Amino acid sequence: MRIRLIAMFIMICLFPYTVYANGLEWDKLDQISDEALQLTKNDRLQEAKQLLEYFEKQFALFREDIHSMDVIYVLTATHEEALRAVTASSVPTEQRINQLTQFRLAVDAVHSKHQPLWKEMKYAVMSAFDKMKQAMEQEDEQSFQQAFHQFLQRYELIEPSVKINADREQVQRVSAHISLLEAPAFRQLHATERMKELRQMEEDLQVLFADGKKETTLPSLWWVMTSIGGMIIMTLTYVGWRKYRGEKEGKMVRDKQ
């Protein structure tokens, strides 16, 4: 009986109920978001709309099991934008596809913790950033602004996903860099200071795209497994000691008789 209780405790600690959000249901939602994107690319907007509405109903079934309000907010916001994009005829085709891509990446970010799709956008984002650096080195303000606009378009595609499963402090650092570059005061800085800011921003972007989640997750998992393993050993030792003590006391009683 004790062994069964211990086994149940291990399952609860290692695989809590909230993991349900990363199980078969998320496989289904992940597939729905991908199909909605493909339909939108093929201009089959009515079918894409129906899939997005179906997603909303399925998501509502276990929304309460997701304990992160940030995740719920990001998924709700990107879903609403995606639904609006396929519903309103006035939305340009490129913007419509971008909205569905943003939603698709956000769903995947919840589903894929260590290898999310948004990290595959690294080359697209960093190539735009390289153009910014080149324009800055050549002191070409017009080319810099064009490259910066391109960078913002690409980064905005992954920003909701980044907020889901990237390090929060690192996300804030990148956001701070972007805010500085958007500010009119940035243009007033000396060229040396502007390049210094871009180099620091490049470092922070590289860290953002780096695969650091696995390194931070595994130690805590090993700690849980080690702790539970220690509890099992202690419990079995205690049970064995009780049994040995009981047998010894019984022998002493029989000897006295």
Side-chain angles (χ1 to χ4, degrees):
M1 183 63 180
R2 286 190 178 91
I3 302 301
R4 290 179 61 186
L5 290 174
I6 293 170
M8 290 175 62
F9 178 75
I10 293 174
M11 295 299 294
I12 292 171
C13 290
L14 292 182
F15 308 101
Y17 184 67
T18 53
V19 173
Y20 173 74
N22 290 324
L24 295 177
E25 290 299 327
W26 270 109
D27 288 336
K28 181 192 298 183
L29 295 182
D30 195 55
Q31 183 178 0
I32 292 173
S33 66
D34 183 60
E35 290 178 2
L37 173 60
Q38 301 308 319
L39 288 170
T40 302
K41 288 181 178 180
N42 294 322
D43 203 30
R44 296 163 61 180
L45 303 184
Q46 185 59 34
E47 294 174 72
K49 179 183 177 182
Q50 292 174 353
L51 271 181
L52 290 173
E53 291 172 342
Y54 178 64
F55 177 97
E56 185 176 14
K57 294 177 181 178
Q58 294 298 307
F59 179 60
L61 295 177
F62 62 93
R63 175 173 172 170
E64 295 181 356
D65 297 322
I66 302 176
H67 299 303
S68 171
M69 292 304 299
D70 291 340
V71 171
I72 293 176
Y73 173 78
V74 169
L75 287 179
T76 301
T78 55
H79 175 267
E80 289 177 353
E81 288 297 318
L83 189 58
R84 186 187 68 83
V86 298
T87 303
S89 58
S90 59
V91 178
T93 301
E94 182 180 0
Q95 182 181 344
R96 181 180 293 124
I97 294 175
N98 285 344
Q99 294 290 355
L100 269 293
T101 301
Q102 190 182 69
F103 171 64
R104 168 76 181 97
L105 294 176
V107 175
D108 175 80
V110 180
H111 182 64
S112 305
K113 294 296 184 182
H114 302 310
Q115 297 295 333
L117 288 175
W118 67 264
K119 289 194 175 184
E120 296 182 10
M121 291 283 293
K122 178 180 179 179
Y123 176 78
V125 173
M126 296 308 296
S127 63
F129 185 83
D130 288 340
K131 292 179 182 178
M132 290 166 53
K133 284 179 58 182
Q134 293 173 8
M136 183 65 69
E137 291 170 349
Q138 297 169 3
E139 298 184 3
D140 186 342
E141 184 62 31
Q142 183 176 358
S143 296
F144 174 80
Q145 291 300 327
Q146 290 175 348
F148 183 43
H149 178 69
Q150 185 183 60
F151 168 82
L152 286 178
Q153 284 185 319
R154 296 178 180 181
Y155 184 75
E156 285 173 357
L157 286 178
I158 68 171
E159 189 173 19
S161 310
V162 166
K163 291 179 179 179
I164 288 177
N165 63 8
D167 181 75
R168 178 173 295 184
E169 182 179 348
Q170 202 61 38
V171 175
Q172 292 174 345
R173 288 175 66 88
V174 173
S175 297
H177 288 302
I178 293 175
S179 296
L180 177 59
L181 266 61
E182 289 178 321
F186 181 74
R187 301 182 186 181
Q188 308 303 319
L189 294 175
H190 190 273
T192 304
E193 292 299 318
R194 296 173 78 182
M195 279 303 301
K196 182 179 179 181
E197 170 63 23
L198 285 182
R199 292 192 185 98
Q200 183 59 58
M201 182 177 178
E202 184 177 24
E203 290 182 13
D204 288 330
L205 283 168
Q206 293 290 354
V207 173
L208 187 70
F209 281 106
D211 186 16
K213 277 293 180 180
K214 188 177 293 185
E215 296 177 1
T216 57
T217 303
L218 286 178
S220 61
L221 177 60
W222 278 112
W223 180 87
V224 172
M225 293 176 67
T226 303
S227 300
I228 294 175
M231 292 177 62
I232 293 174
I233 293 173
M234 289 177 61
T235 302
L236 293 177
T237 301
Y238 175 72
V239 171
W241 178 78
R242 285 285 302 272
K243 182 178 180 182
Y244 168 76
R245 182 179 177 182
E247 292 177 351
K248 186 176 181 180
E249 290 178 350
K251 185 176 182 301
M252 290 176 62
V253 171
R254 287 195 297 272
D255 291 341
K256 289 181 179 180
Q257 294 176 350

